[in-house]
Amino acid sequence: MPQRTPGTRFGDACPPRLPDPRRPNAPRTNARFPNLRFPRLRRPHPRLPGLGLGLPNPYRRLFALPGARAFTAGNLMARLPQGMFGVSAVVMIAGARGSYALAGAVTATGLAATAAAAPWIARLVDRHGQARIAVPATVCAVLGSLALLLCVRRNAPDWTLFAAYAATATTPNTGGMSRARWAHLLESDPEALHTANSFEQAADELCYMLGPVLAAFLCGTFFPEAGTLVAALLLLTGVLLFAAQRSTEPPPRRRTPAKAPLRAPGMPAQLAVCLAMGAVFGAMEVVTVAFADAQGHRSVAGVALGLQAAGSCVAGLVYGTVRPTGPAGRRLPWCVAAMTALMTLPLLAATLTGSLLLLSGALLVAGTATAPTMVTNMTLVQQRTPDGRLNEGMTLAVTGLLGGIGCGSAMGGWVVEHLSPTAGYGVPVTAAAVALLISLAQRTG
């Protein structure tokens, strides 16, 4: 039988264990028995490994999944050329033929062909699997790039340039395939899927930021065809590495009763939002180049646009560590509203100051709203796409963005030419406001 200690009665509750205030990391002691010590136990996070500050790191957990690092490395290698092909083609064609109009027409034809072919390629990927479709489609696109190079090099007729560059439209949507893998791996964990979508959006921004810079460096340092050659090599190598990771590949759905994504409830309005947001990006690019050219610093336009992409990349990574509250349909209007408000900063900087330095800072801040908006938008696309057709649904969203970029570039160029580069910054604000109205109408409808 235990002995009764003086000052206590049998049945009394055990006194609380208090930490020593002078040594917060010291073992806990009992208030009545200072010589009796209880060791401080470090309890690991129940789900995630900790950072140095004791906070959970969702990205570490994400890439702890078997095969995640390998397919991500291949996908990033394959995604980087998407920002290289256009710039490389323009430099190569304009340098050999002396016509930027011809170069722009060729790249516009390739963009139109991609918008038509991409959903079809994505539908085949859903039905037959990523590896089985992506590899031959990539080989065809690489052959088209090499054919364009040879036509420019051999001074072939102009129509051959259009035909060769149109063949590159079979390039698979590597970003969509990567998001489909995350959706397959994290089907029962929406929080981790949110982190994965945030990472993918940050990767998009990074690739589109570094791709044109790398292409311009290669074409200017070595020879005009260097950018196209390196981009084709990266694309083929990256897709082969990505397709080799079969353990993370979603199973194909050869026969699915699901309706086409374009006819799914909520998808038409969602694609309209993509179209409007693409107009924001396209107009901002053209207007910024024109504004920098009017200031006599055209070469700095790439740096300013790179700062906008950098702000979006950082915001995307931070957004991935935040647990989203409420459904994505309710969050999207708030994200688009923030994007619309921040897009007024470049307009104010250009109108009130005319300083390219302040404009670059405004673009950096405005870019922070891009990634959270795009992540929320792609989450809604995933939720509203019927089962078995996820690649097709996300490719339709990308096609909408590409179409919006083309429309925004045209509208921004018209305003710059007929009004002024400063007034051109009103086009991205207007396009963002249209996206906001559509998202609000969709929510209340």
Side-chain angles (χ1 to χ4, degrees), residues 45 47-52 54-64 195 317 320-321:
H45 194 277
R47 298 175 61 189
L48 306 176
L51 287 172
L55 299 176
N57 184 355
Y59 292 104
R60 184 181 299 177
R61 176 196 175 199
L62 199 66
F63 291 105
T195 302
L317 292 176
T321 64

Side-chain angles (χ1 to χ4, degrees), residues 115-139:
W120 177 68
I121 298 293
R123 188 179 304 121
L124 292 177
V125 168
D126 284 329
R127 291 181 180 178
H128 303 285
Q130 294 182 352
R132 189 174 180 180
I133 300 300
V135 173
T138 301
V139 171

